[in-house]
Amino acid sequence: MTEAAFTPRVFSGIQPTGHLHLGNYLGALKRFVETQNEGVESLYCMVDLHAITVWQEPEALRRATRELTAGFIASGLDPEKSILFNQSQVAEHAQLAWIFNCVARMGWMKRMTQFKDKAGKHAEQASLGLFAYPALMAADILVYHATHVPVGEDQKQHLELTRNIAAKFNHDYGVDFFPDTQPVIEGAATRVMSLRDGEKKMSKSDSSDMSRINLTDDADTIAKKIRKAKTDPAPLPEAPDGLLDRPEARNLVNIYAALSDRSVDQVMGEMGGKPFSEFKPALADLAVDRIAPISTEMERLMQDPAEIDCILARGADRARGIAAPILHRTYEIVGMVGAGGA
Ligand code: TYM
């Protein structure tokens, strides 16, 4: 393996916990499809080991992993072109994560805001896995020497940690083995906000289902959620800078831009100055047009779970083919007997 010559390779993952929502679609899935279609080698992973850092009912986890896979495919990922698999079928992730647990420093981990958000006031009751979560995420990426990771804004800090772990490993062992992975956080919708509160991220854990559009929602539900989305009474501003202090309006414009593959400037050129009574129906039509077919296709794919399992098993074989030699070489660098070396 030639070290320091890193061919472009994309990796990203989504947790199989609950339904996919519009934030996952615009911040991640839609961009995965664009990357796949640019022809870069891409791996997309259902991160089931990450999911169990908080309690998951086994049956619900199995279903969510299959549903997530269906969501990937229904969004346009082609299992022949991209490698689609679930994390636990490729043991190399967990194996490299252990090495990274020994590279990452406690101080780094304690600064992770996602842990603080998720553990809240009950950090003593949180699992050790939840604390170590970002080291496993670094392993997901680096076990493939991935050079680019498309994600939403909320994953930025984890990707900085990934780069720190790679740099410390390279430095400690005097090698240039792991790449300096680049986060790819691009587009109008890297942080889609709740439809009920423009200051809060759209998320699966929000107790209000009206706060998000799920990829499993049917056309009527999607339209209703947009109709009822919180807004202020003023019409849309004439120009984009008028959106700065209007979080709800800004969020809906960003969603419109991302769904229609246009820039915010272009959308404002068309919609600026219009009242929400005109803008919302246009947005609802667009969202139904883009999301409802995904939901229908997911439902169809979920009729055949055996086929989904087959796709994941095939993807895992292909993924292992890349990960195994990288893990082997890592063991060799670290000094594990049996992995080669003097
Ligand atoms: P997860 O499962 O929370 O989210 C999956 C992807 O969706 C993006 N996302 C959003 N984007 C825009 N607006 C939103 N409201 C929104 N909500 C979620 C996330 O940024 C993410 O890209 N730790 C990761 C999973 C992971 C991973 C990895 C990602 C594990 N290993 C390796 C990349 C590389 C997570 O919990 O994502």
Side-chain angles (χ1 to χ4, degrees):
M1 191 178 305
T2 46
E3 295 179 4
F6 300 109
T7 37
R9 184 178 286 146
V10 172
F11 179 94
S12 199
I14 299 187
Q15 295 196 66
T17 46
H19 296 309
L20 283 165
H21 54 71
L22 187 65
N24 299 132
Y25 178 68
L26 295 176
L29 279 170
K30 184 169 181 290
R31 298 170 51 233
F32 299 172
V33 177
E34 287 157 10
T35 308
Q36 164 191 277
N37 295 341
E38 283 162 14
V40 190
E41 183 180 29
S42 311
L43 298 106
Y44 297 114
C45 186
M46 328 297 139
V47 290
D48 47 8
L49 296 174
H50 277 113
I52 60 162
T53 56
V54 297
W55 171 251
Q56 306 294 327
E57 288 294 339
E59 214 31 68
L61 177 62
R62 256 187 291 273
R63 188 184 156 80
T65 305
R66 292 180 180 128
E67 189 183 280
L68 178 56
T69 313
F72 273 64
I73 299 169
S75 299
L77 286 167
D78 174 349
E80 298 301 320
K81 287 194 197 154
S82 296
I83 302 180
L84 302 185
F85 68 106
N86 61 313
Q87 191 183 26
S88 58
Q89 288 206 65
V90 182
E92 283 78 1
H93 290 239
Q95 291 173 292
L96 185 60
W98 181 258
I99 308 262
F100 287 170
N101 283 344
C102 303
V103 173
R105 304 290 95 185
M106 289 293 285
W108 301 358
M109 307 304 279
K110 282 186 180 159
R111 284 195 282 277
M112 293 293 114
T113 53
Q114 187 166 304
F115 176 77
K116 290 188 219 165
D117 291 347
K118 282 199 175 176
K121 294 194 193 86
H122 310 288
E124 293 295 314
Q125 295 307 316
S127 72
L128 182 55
L130 189 66
F131 188 67
Y133 180 117
L136 175 60
M137 183 161 158
D140 296 339
I141 297 165
L142 293 171
V143 83
Y144 301 103
H145 279 182
T147 55
H148 295 85
V149 181
V151 280
E153 177 75 37
D154 60 350
Q155 297 301 313
K156 201 171 171 186
Q157 194 187 31
H158 285 159
L159 289 176
E160 274 159 23
L161 183 90
T162 298
R163 300 173 73 181
N164 290 341
I165 289 177
K168 180 160 166 59
F169 181 98
N170 287 346
H171 175 266
D172 289 355
Y173 291 100
V175 291
D176 193 5
F177 185 60
F178 288 115
D180 186 26
T181 303
Q182 299 304 311
V184 188
I185 304 173
E186 283 170 2
T190 55
R191 190 171 175 82
V192 177
M193 308 308 277
S194 156
L195 299 180
R196 309 300 307 158
D197 177 353
E199 312 273 4
K200 242 169 78 182
K201 194 180 68 167
M202 184 177 286
S203 119
K204 342 187 185 199
S205 52
D206 195 313
S207 57
S208 162
D209 196 55
M210 293 301 284
S211 70
R212 63 185 160 258
I213 292 173
N214 301 304
L215 292 201
T216 45
D217 285 344
D218 60 22
D220 288 348
T221 312
I222 297 171
K224 183 175 90 189
K225 286 179 176 175
I226 291 186
R227 231 178 17 249
K228 301 216 159 172
K230 184 178 166 201
T231 46
D232 51 41
L236 283 176
E238 296 289 343
D241 41 346
L243 290 169
L244 283 176
D245 54 355
R246 295 179 59 192
E248 280 85 17
R250 186 171 66 234
N251 187 39
L252 295 183
V253 168
N254 285 345
I255 292 174
Y256 193 97
L259 280 174
S260 61
D261 294 308
R262 281 183 294 175
S263 68
V264 168
D265 283 356
Q266 284 170 318
V267 172
M268 290 305 285
E270 185 196 338
M271 295 288 178
K274 295 209 166 147
F276 282 105
S277 58
E278 245 178 87
F279 177 59
K280 275 186 169 180
L283 177 59
D285 283 351
L286 176 65
V288 167
D289 192 56
R290 298 295 148 93
I291 303 298
I294 299 179
S295 140
T296 311
E297 179 62 0
M298 278 174 76
E299 216 172 290
R300 192 189 68 78
L301 291 164
M302 283 299 279
Q303 304 297 314
D304 192 355
E307 173 59 20
I308 293 183
D309 292 4
C310 240
I311 289 170
L312 290 175
R314 262 201 321 269
D317 282 344
R318 290 167 69 196
R320 214 175 294 117
I322 305 172
I326 293 176
L327 180 75
H328 190 271
R329 176 74 187 120
T330 310
Y331 273 15
E332 190 184 350
I333 291 170
V334 170
M336 301 298 186
V337 169

